[in-house]
Amino acid sequence: MFYPYRDIFRAPGTVGFASAGFIARLPLAMVPMGLVAMLSQTHGEYWLAGAVSATFALTNALVSPRISRLVDRHGQAHVLIPATIVALTAFILLLAATTWRWSSALLFLFAALAGVMPSMPAMIRARWTEIYRDTPKLSTAFAFESVSDEILYMTGSVLSIGLSVGLFPEAGPLFATVFLAVGTFLFVIQKKTEPRIHAVAQSGAASVIAFRPLQLITFVLLALGTLLGTAEVAVIALTKELGQPGAASFVLAGYAGGSLVVGLVFGVLKLKANLAQQFVFATLIAALTALPLPFITNIPMLGLALFIAGAAVSPSFITAFGLIEQSIPVARLTEGMTWAMTGIGIGMAAGSFSAGYVVDAYGPASGFWVSVTAGVLALAAVTAGYRMLADRTRNICATPIQMACD
């Protein structure tokens, strides 16, 4: 089963940029919880820790698509280097402000500046696309990246919290800063696999988010990201109510594990259905598997239900990025993929916030109603937009967006 994954690394340079990219994107998973762990210890105020972390996450969600738009116009190396330098400087100043107890306002300022950090998952997927465009290997490469994202999100937060608690409060964000510097440097020096700059990217076209298929895909991914964010909060609350708080980590690991296993298998399947059909089906499974969650009253059933629910996550993400590759103009691909990643990130934040509010108001199990609502919204959107996704291809949208893709 794993031969197709070995096969995608036969192309020259793939091992190098994938390895460097793995290091460079660790901060995406480490920084949010690392900031919470750091500031809650040094300042003793959880609201401040959460607010600073949210400032970073929101800024990164809003700014990273614009960074990726510049990448499409000028190339990865020309943009990633200055953007990363700004982010690294901001992280260093944030660490200094924490250590020497500078004004809290500076914490927010430096967190916002750190949000300039580029979206490395999009940069990596753009390189895979440049190598394997219009071949079955691209789906396998996207599956590999989705599984890598799962591994990173499973381990990054835990690593960051463990470092800050086990060593010293600033350790988690500090190591994330080092990973960002080393990984990005190793990534950008690999010129042979850097995507070419296309003529359309140098034009004055509007942002690619104006393209309706991308709006639909991003909204669906936002809803699916809400499922992920809801699970983290609701599982912790429910296992605590059931008297087994330690079981939360195992249940959530099973959730991610279901996504990881199915993602590996899905990436090597040769399906006859087109990507739009696959996207609808994967979203349907995600919506259906969310339905039983509010009614579960014991840990074993919760673990099983979330393992099954996790099985729909990777196929949804894999097909979403495949649809973006097929329907977005080649010259705007990095920006398009970054908007998709932004949708997932905002959805996770929205899911965590919404589930927390519902849990406080109505009890732990009620938090999963946020999952049900998000699943229904995702399914309704992708069903309504199916024809648009099936009809729009790169061939009819190869000119500037405002001319051909309105």
Side-chain angles (χ1 to χ4, degrees):
M1 183 186 79
F2 295 104
Y3 174 79
Y5 292 100
R6 294 197 303 268
D7 198 36
I8 63 174
F9 286 102
R10 295 185 186 277
T14 51
V15 173
F17 82 73
S19 301
F22 191 90
I23 298 172
R25 61 182 167 178
L26 261 173
L28 282 175
M30 293 181 66
V31 169
M33 289 307 300
L35 292 179
V36 172
M38 176 179 73
L39 293 172
S40 62
Q41 292 183 83
T42 58
H43 289 66
E45 296 177 302
Y46 283 96
W47 74 265
L48 176 65
V52 171
S53 179
T55 299
F56 165 79
L58 181 59
T59 304
N60 186 249
L62 295 175
V63 173
S64 58
R66 291 160 175 79
I67 298 296
S68 294
R69 186 181 183 188
L70 292 174
V71 167
D72 283 330
R73 292 183 177 183
H74 305 291
Q76 290 187 348
H78 284 88
V79 177
L80 291 183
I81 292 174
T84 302
I85 289 174
V86 171
L88 290 173
T89 302
F91 278 127
I92 292 170
L93 290 172
L94 182 56
L95 290 169
T98 300
T99 302
W100 287 298
R101 297 297 184 91
W102 296 350
S103 168
S104 296
L106 291 177
L107 297 176
F108 288 97
L109 173 63
F110 298 146
L113 290 174
V116 175
M117 185 174 71
S119 175
M120 290 308 297
M123 306 300 159
I124 298 166
R125 286 175 168 89
R127 294 204 178 200
W128 284 119
T129 303
E130 185 74 10
I131 296 171
Y132 291 127
R133 180 176 284 115
D134 298 327
T135 71
K137 290 182 180 180
L138 184 59
S139 177
T140 304
F142 283 166
F144 174 80
E145 290 305 316
S146 292
V147 170
S148 297
D149 288 339
E150 291 287 346
I151 294 172
L152 283 171
Y153 282 115
M154 278 193 297
T155 59
S157 295
V158 175
L159 174 62
S160 188
I161 294 171
L163 288 169
S164 290
V165 173
L167 297 179
F168 50 90
E170 298 86 353
L174 176 61
F175 273 79
T177 303
V178 173
F179 289 143
L180 177 63
V182 173
T184 304
F185 172 76
L186 294 176
F187 187 81
V188 298
I189 63 174
Q190 299 180 61
K191 299 290 188 180
K192 292 184 179 180
T193 54
E194 183 174 352
R196 295 168 293 169
I197 302 174
H198 297 269
V200 176
Q202 297 173 332
S203 72
S207 172
V208 76
I209 196 60
F211 185 33
R212 286 198 295 273
L214 181 59
Q215 293 174 1
L216 173 62
I217 294 169
T218 301
F219 177 81
V220 174
L221 291 179
L222 188 153
L224 295 175
T226 302
L227 295 176
L228 300 178
T230 300
E232 293 182 355
V233 174
V235 166
I236 292 172
L238 184 57
T239 53
K240 182 178 180 180
E241 183 183 65
L242 295 174
Q244 301 182 57
S249 59
F250 297 102
V251 172
L252 290 173
Y255 187 42
S259 177
L260 189 152
V261 171
V262 174
L264 285 173
V265 175
F266 187 84
V268 300
L269 295 178
K270 308 298 180 185
L271 301 176
K272 294 182 180 180
N274 62 46
L275 283 174
Q277 292 171 334
Q278 294 177 37
F279 194 40
V280 172
F281 184 74
T283 306
L284 171 62
I285 297 301
L288 290 176
T289 55
L291 293 178
L293 296 177
F295 307 102
I296 293 176
T297 57
N298 61 77
I299 299 297
M301 287 302 299
L302 179 64
L304 176 60
L306 280 174
F307 181 85
I308 296 172
V313 175
S314 284
S316 300
F317 291 172
I318 294 166
T319 52
F321 284 108
L323 281 168
I324 292 172
E325 187 274 330
Q326 284 193 358
S327 60
I328 294 297
V330 175
R332 316 297 297 279
L333 188 60
T334 307
E335 183 188 355
M337 290 185 175
T338 303
W339 277 110
M341 296 300 301
T342 294
I344 296 171
I346 293 176
M348 292 179 67
S352 297
F353 174 80
S354 301
Y357 177 83
V358 173
V359 165
D360 286 340
Y362 304 105
S366 298
F368 284 117
W369 283 111
V370 178
S371 299
V372 174
T373 303
V376 170
L377 290 174
L379 180 60
V382 76
T383 302
Y386 165 74
R387 181 51 56 190
M388 176 176 60
L389 292 177
D391 290 345
R392 296 295 183 103
T393 66
R394 187 168 59 243
N395 291 333
I396 64 172
C397 293
T399 53
I401 291 175
Q402 66 266 36
M403 296 175 60
C405 299
D406 293 332

Short mmCIF file of all heavy atoms in Angstrom, two decimals, residues 164-201:
data_model
loop_
_atom_site.label_atom_id
_atom_site.label_comp_id
_atom_site.label_asym_id
_atom_site.label_seq_id
_atom_site.Cartn_x
_atom_site.Cartn_y
_atom_site.Cartn_z
N SER A 164 7.34 24.25 27.51
CA SER A 164 7.12 25.41 28.37
C SER A 164 6.90 25.02 29.82
O SER A 164 7.31 25.74 30.74
CB SER A 164 5.90 26.21 27.87
OG SER A 164 6.20 26.86 26.65
N VAL A 165 6.28 23.88 30.05
CA VAL A 165 6.03 23.42 31.41
C VAL A 165 7.25 22.71 31.99
O VAL A 165 7.60 22.89 33.16
CB VAL A 165 4.80 22.48 31.45
CG1 VAL A 165 4.64 21.86 32.84
CG2 VAL A 165 3.54 23.23 31.05
N GLY A 166 7.92 21.93 31.15
CA GLY A 166 9.03 21.11 31.63
C GLY A 166 10.36 21.85 31.75
O GLY A 166 11.17 21.51 32.63
N LEU A 167 10.60 22.85 30.89
CA LEU A 167 11.87 23.56 30.93
C LEU A 167 11.70 24.95 31.55
O LEU A 167 12.03 25.16 32.70
CB LEU A 167 12.45 23.68 29.51
CG LEU A 167 12.79 22.34 28.81
CD1 LEU A 167 13.32 22.58 27.41
CD2 LEU A 167 13.80 21.55 29.64
N PHE A 168 11.19 25.88 30.79
CA PHE A 168 10.91 27.23 31.28
C PHE A 168 9.79 27.80 30.42
O PHE A 168 9.56 27.33 29.29
CB PHE A 168 12.15 28.12 31.24
CG PHE A 168 12.88 28.11 29.92
CD1 PHE A 168 12.57 29.04 28.92
CD2 PHE A 168 13.88 27.17 29.67
CE1 PHE A 168 13.23 29.04 27.72
CE2 PHE A 168 14.56 27.16 28.46
CZ PHE A 168 14.23 28.10 27.48
N PRO A 169 9.04 28.78 30.90
CA PRO A 169 7.84 29.22 30.20
C PRO A 169 8.03 29.60 28.74
O PRO A 169 7.17 29.35 27.90
CB PRO A 169 7.39 30.43 31.03
CG PRO A 169 7.89 30.16 32.39
CD PRO A 169 9.21 29.47 32.20
N GLU A 170 9.17 30.22 28.41
CA GLU A 170 9.39 30.69 27.04
C GLU A 170 9.88 29.59 26.11
O GLU A 170 10.06 29.84 24.91
CB GLU A 170 10.41 31.84 27.04
CG GLU A 170 9.99 33.07 27.79
CD GLU A 170 10.31 33.03 29.28
OE1 GLU A 170 10.75 31.96 29.74
OE2 GLU A 170 10.13 34.04 29.97
N ALA A 171 10.08 28.37 26.62
CA ALA A 171 10.72 27.32 25.82
C ALA A 171 9.92 26.93 24.58
O ALA A 171 10.48 26.76 23.50
CB ALA A 171 10.98 26.08 26.69
N GLY A 172 8.60 26.79 24.71
CA GLY A 172 7.79 26.37 23.57
C GLY A 172 7.87 27.34 22.41
O GLY A 172 8.26 26.98 21.29
N PRO A 173 7.52 28.64 22.61
CA PRO A 173 7.66 29.61 21.53
C PRO A 173 9.09 29.78 21.05
O PRO A 173 9.33 30.05 19.86
CB PRO A 173 7.13 30.91 22.15
CG PRO A 173 6.17 30.45 23.21
CD PRO A 173 6.79 29.20 23.78
N LEU A 174 10.07 29.63 21.94
CA LEU A 174 11.47 29.76 21.54
C LEU A 174 11.85 28.66 20.55
O LEU A 174 12.46 28.94 19.50
CB LEU A 174 12.38 29.70 22.77
CG LEU A 174 13.89 29.71 22.48
CD1 LEU A 174 14.28 30.99 21.75
CD2 LEU A 174 14.69 29.57 23.78
N PHE A 175 11.53 27.43 20.86
CA PHE A 175 11.83 26.32 19.94
C PHE A 175 11.06 26.48 18.63
O PHE A 175 11.58 26.17 17.56
CB PHE A 175 11.50 24.98 20.60
CG PHE A 175 12.61 24.41 21.42
CD1 PHE A 175 12.87 24.88 22.70
CD2 PHE A 175 13.43 23.41 20.91
CE1 PHE A 175 13.90 24.37 23.46
CE2 PHE A 175 14.47 22.88 21.66
CZ PHE A 175 14.71 23.36 22.94
N ALA A 176 9.83 26.98 18.69
CA ALA A 176 9.06 27.22 17.47
C ALA A 176 9.76 28.25 16.59
O ALA A 176 9.80 28.12 15.36
CB ALA A 176 7.66 27.70 17.82
N THR A 177 10.34 29.27 17.21
CA THR A 177 11.07 30.29 16.47
C THR A 177 12.28 29.70 15.79
O THR A 177 12.58 30.00 14.62
CB THR A 177 11.50 31.42 17.43
OG1 THR A 177 10.34 31.96 18.08
CG2 THR A 177 12.22 32.52 16.68
N VAL A 178 12.99 28.84 16.49
CA VAL A 178 14.17 28.17 15.90
C VAL A 178 13.76 27.28 14.73
O VAL A 178 14.40 27.29 13.66
CB VAL A 178 14.91 27.35 16.97
CG1 VAL A 178 16.03 26.53 16.34
CG2 VAL A 178 15.47 28.27 18.05
N PHE A 179 12.69 26.53 14.90
CA PHE A 179 12.21 25.65 13.82
C PHE A 179 11.82 26.48 12.59
O PHE A 179 12.08 26.08 11.45
CB PHE A 179 11.01 24.83 14.29
CG PHE A 179 11.35 23.76 15.28
CD1 PHE A 179 10.48 23.45 16.33
CD2 PHE A 179 12.53 23.04 15.18
CE1 PHE A 179 10.80 22.46 17.25
CE2 PHE A 179 12.85 22.04 16.10
CZ PHE A 179 11.98 21.76 17.13
N LEU A 180 11.19 27.62 12.82
CA LEU A 180 10.79 28.47 11.70
C LEU A 180 12.01 28.97 10.94
O LEU A 180 12.03 28.95 9.70
CB LEU A 180 9.97 29.66 12.23
CG LEU A 180 9.53 30.69 11.19
CD1 LEU A 180 8.60 30.06 10.16
CD2 LEU A 180 8.85 31.88 11.86
N ALA A 181 13.03 29.42 11.68
CA ALA A 181 14.24 29.95 11.03
C ALA A 181 14.97 28.86 10.26
O ALA A 181 15.30 29.03 9.07
CB ALA A 181 15.15 30.57 12.09
N VAL A 182 15.22 27.74 10.90
CA VAL A 182 15.99 26.66 10.26
C VAL A 182 15.21 26.04 9.11
O VAL A 182 15.75 25.85 8.00
CB VAL A 182 16.35 25.57 11.30
CG1 VAL A 182 17.00 24.36 10.62
CG2 VAL A 182 17.27 26.14 12.37
N GLY A 183 13.93 25.72 9.34
CA GLY A 183 13.14 25.07 8.30
C GLY A 183 12.96 25.94 7.07
O GLY A 183 13.08 25.46 5.93
N THR A 184 12.67 27.23 7.27
CA THR A 184 12.46 28.13 6.12
C THR A 184 13.75 28.31 5.34
O THR A 184 13.74 28.33 4.10
CB THR A 184 11.93 29.49 6.59
OG1 THR A 184 10.73 29.31 7.34
CG2 THR A 184 11.65 30.39 5.41
N PHE A 185 14.87 28.45 6.04
CA PHE A 185 16.17 28.59 5.35
C PHE A 185 16.46 27.36 4.48
O PHE A 185 16.81 27.48 3.31
CB PHE A 185 17.28 28.79 6.37
CG PHE A 185 18.66 28.74 5.77
CD1 PHE A 185 19.16 29.82 5.05
CD2 PHE A 185 19.46 27.61 5.91
CE1 PHE A 185 20.42 29.77 4.47
CE2 PHE A 185 20.73 27.55 5.35
CZ PHE A 185 21.21 28.64 4.64
N LEU A 186 16.29 26.17 5.05
CA LEU A 186 16.54 24.95 4.30
C LEU A 186 15.57 24.79 3.13
O LEU A 186 15.90 24.20 2.10
CB LEU A 186 16.43 23.73 5.23
CG LEU A 186 17.49 23.64 6.33
CD1 LEU A 186 17.20 22.45 7.24
CD2 LEU A 186 18.89 23.52 5.73
N PHE A 187 14.36 25.34 3.29
CA PHE A 187 13.34 25.24 2.24
C PHE A 187 13.66 26.16 1.06
O PHE A 187 13.63 25.74 -0.09
CB PHE A 187 11.98 25.58 2.84
CG PHE A 187 10.82 25.36 1.92
CD1 PHE A 187 10.27 24.09 1.74
CD2 PHE A 187 10.25 26.43 1.22
CE1 PHE A 187 9.20 23.88 0.90
CE2 PHE A 187 9.16 26.22 0.38
CZ PHE A 187 8.64 24.95 0.22
N VAL A 188 13.98 27.42 1.34
CA VAL A 188 14.14 28.38 0.25
C VAL A 188 15.43 28.18 -0.54
O VAL A 188 15.51 28.60 -1.70
CB VAL A 188 14.07 29.83 0.77
CG1 VAL A 188 12.72 30.11 1.39
CG2 VAL A 188 15.18 30.13 1.76
N ILE A 189 16.45 27.55 0.05
CA ILE A 189 17.70 27.36 -0.70
C ILE A 189 17.57 26.26 -1.75
O ILE A 189 18.46 26.11 -2.59
CB ILE A 189 18.88 27.05 0.25
CG1 ILE A 189 18.65 25.73 0.99
CG2 ILE A 189 19.12 28.20 1.21
CD1 ILE A 189 19.85 25.29 1.83
N GLN A 190 16.47 25.52 -1.72
CA GLN A 190 16.25 24.45 -2.71
C GLN A 190 15.52 25.04 -3.92
O GLN A 190 14.31 25.01 -4.02
CB GLN A 190 15.47 23.31 -2.08
CG GLN A 190 16.20 22.69 -0.89
CD GLN A 190 15.43 21.56 -0.26
OE1 GLN A 190 15.16 20.56 -0.91
NE2 GLN A 190 15.11 21.71 1.01
N LYS A 191 16.30 25.59 -4.82
CA LYS A 191 15.76 26.34 -5.95
C LYS A 191 15.16 25.45 -7.04
O LYS A 191 14.25 25.87 -7.76
CB LYS A 191 16.88 27.20 -6.57
CG LYS A 191 17.49 28.22 -5.63
CD LYS A 191 16.51 29.33 -5.33
CE LYS A 191 17.18 30.45 -4.55
NZ LYS A 191 16.24 31.56 -4.25
N LYS A 192 15.64 24.23 -7.19
CA LYS A 192 15.24 23.40 -8.32
C LYS A 192 13.77 23.00 -8.28
O LYS A 192 13.18 22.72 -9.31
CB LYS A 192 16.13 22.16 -8.40
CG LYS A 192 17.58 22.46 -8.77
CD LYS A 192 18.40 21.20 -8.92
CE LYS A 192 19.83 21.53 -9.32
NZ LYS A 192 20.66 20.30 -9.47
N THR A 193 13.20 22.94 -7.10
CA THR A 193 11.79 22.55 -7.00
C THR A 193 10.86 23.74 -6.78
O THR A 193 9.66 23.56 -6.62
CB THR A 193 11.60 21.56 -5.83
OG1 THR A 193 12.14 22.12 -4.62
CG2 THR A 193 12.30 20.23 -6.13
N GLU A 194 11.41 24.95 -6.78
CA GLU A 194 10.57 26.14 -6.58
C GLU A 194 9.65 26.34 -7.79
O GLU A 194 10.10 26.30 -8.93
CB GLU A 194 11.44 27.38 -6.38
CG GLU A 194 10.63 28.64 -6.09
CD GLU A 194 11.52 29.83 -5.76
OE1 GLU A 194 12.74 29.63 -5.61
OE2 GLU A 194 10.99 30.94 -5.65
N PRO A 195 8.36 26.56 -7.56
CA PRO A 195 7.43 26.75 -8.67
C PRO A 195 7.80 27.95 -9.53
O PRO A 195 8.30 28.96 -9.03
CB PRO A 195 6.08 26.98 -7.97
CG PRO A 195 6.25 26.36 -6.63
CD PRO A 195 7.68 26.56 -6.26
N ARG A 196 7.53 27.83 -10.81
CA ARG A 196 7.80 28.93 -11.74
C ARG A 196 6.80 30.07 -11.51
O ARG A 196 5.70 29.86 -11.01
CB ARG A 196 7.67 28.44 -13.18
CG ARG A 196 8.72 27.40 -13.58
CD ARG A 196 8.33 26.78 -14.91
NE ARG A 196 7.10 25.99 -14.76
CZ ARG A 196 6.40 25.51 -15.78
NH1 ARG A 196 6.77 25.77 -17.02
NH2 ARG A 196 5.30 24.79 -15.56
N ILE A 197 7.20 31.26 -11.89
CA ILE A 197 6.31 32.41 -11.85
C ILE A 197 5.59 32.49 -13.18
O ILE A 197 6.22 32.49 -14.25
CB ILE A 197 7.09 33.71 -11.59
CG1 ILE A 197 7.87 33.60 -10.28
CG2 ILE A 197 6.14 34.90 -11.56
CD1 ILE A 197 8.78 34.78 -10.03
N HIS A 198 4.26 32.56 -13.15
CA HIS A 198 3.47 32.61 -14.37
C HIS A 198 3.03 34.04 -14.65
O HIS A 198 2.89 34.86 -13.74
CB HIS A 198 2.26 31.69 -14.26
CG HIS A 198 2.63 30.25 -14.12
ND1 HIS A 198 2.79 29.40 -15.18
CD2 HIS A 198 2.93 29.51 -13.01
CE1 HIS A 198 3.13 28.20 -14.76
NE2 HIS A 198 3.22 28.24 -13.43
N ALA A 199 2.75 34.34 -15.90
CA ALA A 199 2.48 35.70 -16.33
C ALA A 199 1.27 36.30 -15.63
O ALA A 199 1.27 37.47 -15.25
CB ALA A 199 2.26 35.73 -17.85
N VAL A 200 0.22 35.51 -15.42
CA VAL A 200 -1.00 36.04 -14.80
C VAL A 200 -0.72 36.56 -13.41
O VAL A 200 -1.29 37.54 -12.96
CB VAL A 200 -2.10 34.96 -14.77
CG1 VAL A 200 -3.32 35.47 -14.03
CG2 VAL A 200 -2.46 34.56 -16.20
N ALA A 201 0.19 35.90 -12.71
CA ALA A 201 0.49 36.31 -11.33
C ALA A 201 1.11 37.69 -11.27
O ALA A 201 1.06 38.34 -10.24
CB ALA A 201 1.44 35.29 -10.68
#
